[in-house]
Amino acid sequence: MAVRVGVLGATGAVGQRLIQLLDPHPDFEIAALTASDASAGKTYRQAAKWRVDSPIPDDVAGMTVTATDPDDVPNDVDLLFSSLPSSVGEAVEPGFCDAGYVVSSNSSNGRMDEDIPLVIPEVNADHLDLLEVQRDERGWDGAMVKNPNCSTITFVPTLAALEEYGLEKVHVATLQAVSGAGYDGVTSMEIIDNAIPHIGGEEDKLETESKKLLGSFDGAELSLNDVEVGASCNRIPTIDGHLENVFVETAEDLTPDEAAEAMRVYPSLDLPSSPDQLIEVFEDPERPQPRLDRTLGDGMSVAAGGIRESTFGLQYNCLAHNTMRGAAGASVLNGELLLENGYL
Ligand SMILES: NC(=O)c1ccc[n+]([C@@H]2O[C@H](COP(=O)([O-])OP(=O)(O)OC[C@H]3O[C@@H](n4cnc5c(N)ncnc54)[C@H](OP(=O)(O)O)[C@@H]3O)[C@@H](O)[C@H]2O)c1
């Protein structure tokens, strides 16, 4: 029997990707769609300005969008994928968990809370058991798991692959696509023929979320990894796909060949949305590129290339699709992990 799921913020950019990934899905069946009060009561086709590169699934198009309120979501829905603006998520997500729903959320609120697992399944699936601590502390019948920021998800799997060499210092510079800011986030007059060397709050997310993802969980408490991470974030005029330049200093000697091999063999999982190859490593120094490589593994792989020695340690570039691996796909993968681990 498929698990009945809902999408909070279903009409937005990430919400539309969620619907694209969930209809059809082998384990999940869409049973609820929510958005703002302005969309409530409309059919999904009326409420959503559909901009995804496949048609609205017929069964979803005719569903009625409700307000984002636990009273409006059927009780037999077990799992909610949240793609709400973080200020809205902060206000409403805990109420859904209290009402018994399990929430797999994209929104940034609560990502660094000590009792909220921040999970990339291939990197730190064991952190999911923090949900036991969360339920004890918050008294929730439901639960909350978060996926990281899209630019954090892009480089952390490559760091996880190198962890055995002892991560000491990392600097990452991002070249982020405009879709990461949402459809109305950056105007064409701002971004065409331009690059914007600041994305509010983004650097802090890369610097802190990476330490939590690479941290360790002893069954009761989560300790942050003590790697030092510095980030600088840039918006560039690509549509999808965040490209990042990474410099890593490790305790052990690490050659470019060893780094490439460690990334190549870093395992994927066997969940329905897992890519066959988690990290695709290119020999060609001109790859990965957003337009050519963002859809590797149906948008769920990370690509790496340009691996070489530098004055600042190992240097390489990596890329991931920001609304697939970086947002909707990340939430769905966390939902699949919740199901596999008996949380649904
Ligand atoms: N875009 C990315 O690449 C990306 C990547 C990672 C994480 N995220 C995060 O994912 C979340 C969604 O991003 P997005 O780009 O999809 O945003 P978006 O396109 O602006 O969509 C926002 C959604 O939330 C709903 N909403 C807005 N205000 C609401 C309210 N007061 N109450 C209930 N629902 C409300 C909107 O409904 P209406 O249509 O009715 O207004 C819409 O469904 C954000 O937290 C963002 O930071 C985005």
Side-chain angles (χ1 to χ4, degrees):
M1 273 259 288
V3 174
R4 286 165 66 77
V5 304
V7 180
L8 310 181
T11 51
V14 177
Q16 294 184 19
R17 280 279 184 213
L18 279 163
I19 285 165
Q20 190 185 37
L21 295 177
L22 291 169
D23 195 324
H25 186 282
D27 298 322
F28 302 141
E29 174 195 350
I30 298 178
L33 303 171
T34 85
S36 74
D37 290 348
S39 300
K42 296 180 181 168
T43 63
Y44 187 73
R45 189 188 297 283
Q46 290 167 332
K49 198 160 182 184
W50 187 257
R51 294 184 171 109
V52 174
D53 51 359
S54 61
I56 308 184
D58 283 341
D59 43 346
V60 170
M63 285 176 68
T64 302
V65 176
T66 69
T68 303
D69 185 315
D71 290 340
D72 291 319
V73 174
N75 288 332
D76 63 354
V77 168
D78 289 322
L79 173 63
L80 295 170
F81 294 102
S82 173
S83 56
L84 295 165
S86 52
S87 57
V88 180
E90 187 166 19
V92 307
E93 286 178 347
F96 281 96
C97 300
D98 202 31
Y101 299 99
V102 175
V103 178
S104 173
S105 170
N106 261 293
S107 311
S108 61
N109 53 290
R111 280 187 192 144
M112 292 303 292
D113 287 7
E114 285 179 5
D115 63 346
I116 293 189
L118 179 70
V119 175
I120 300 175
E122 298 89 342
V123 171
N124 63 334
D126 62 310
H127 291 197
L128 202 64
D129 290 338
L130 197 54
L131 291 180
E132 306 293 348
V133 177
Q134 182 188 94
R135 282 176 163 162
D136 279 353
E137 286 182 358
R138 304 205 186 209
W140 285 343
D141 289 329
M144 169 100 71
V145 59
K146 293 271 169 181
N147 55 259
N149 177 270
C150 43
S151 44
T152 308
I153 297 185
T154 303
F155 81 119
V156 165
T158 62
L159 292 184
L162 305 178
E163 215 178 346
E164 64 183 288
Y165 291 90
L167 301 172
E168 293 199 324
K169 283 188 185 171
V170 176
H171 183 258
V172 53
T174 70
L175 304 158
Q176 298 183 220
V178 291
S179 62
Y183 196 84
D184 299 322
V186 187
T187 67
S188 54
M189 288 298 282
E190 284 175 294
I191 200 67
I192 292 173
D193 185 32
N194 205 8
I196 302 171
H198 176 73
I199 302 175
E202 195 83 350
E203 290 163 358
D204 183 59
K205 289 176 187 163
L206 276 83
E207 290 166 2
T208 56
E209 292 174 10
S210 53
K211 290 163 74 78
K212 184 171 179 181
L213 289 157
L214 296 168
S216 51
F217 177 56
D218 65 6
E221 213 172 325
L222 193 127
S223 311
L224 301 183
N225 192 302
D226 56 15
V227 60
E228 290 176 55
V229 183
S232 47
C233 296
N234 303 279
R235 185 77 67 198
I236 61 160
T238 46
I239 299 289
D240 288 318
H242 291 347
L243 180 64
E244 305 187 351
N245 311 131
V246 188
F247 297 81
V248 185
E249 289 180 37
T250 51
E252 309 280 323
D253 288 344
L254 172 61
T255 67
D257 283 348
E258 287 168 335
E261 185 58 12
M263 290 185 200
R264 265 192 206 104
V265 301
Y266 191 78
S268 186
L269 297 175
D270 199 18
L271 298 169
S273 301
S274 301
D276 291 340
Q277 180 77 30
L278 178 62
I279 306 174
E280 297 271 1
V281 180
F282 286 91
E283 298 287 342
D284 179 351
E286 293 189 3
R287 307 285 286 277
Q289 296 179 17
R291 188 149 47 86
L292 299 181
D293 301 315
R294 61 194 168 204
T295 56
L296 282 170
D298 289 333
M300 291 298 286
S301 290
V302 172
I307 305 176
R308 56 201 182 278
E309 281 171 16
S310 80
T311 320
F312 304 104
L314 188 82
Q315 177 180 348
Y316 58 91
N317 306 316
C318 56
L319 170 87
H321 194 300
N322 54 298
T323 61
M324 300 292 274
R325 168 52 77 168
S331 288
V332 171
L333 206 57
N334 279 347
E336 293 166 356
L337 189 71
L338 284 159
L339 181 61
E340 188 181 74
N341 284 270
Y343 284 102
L344 298 175

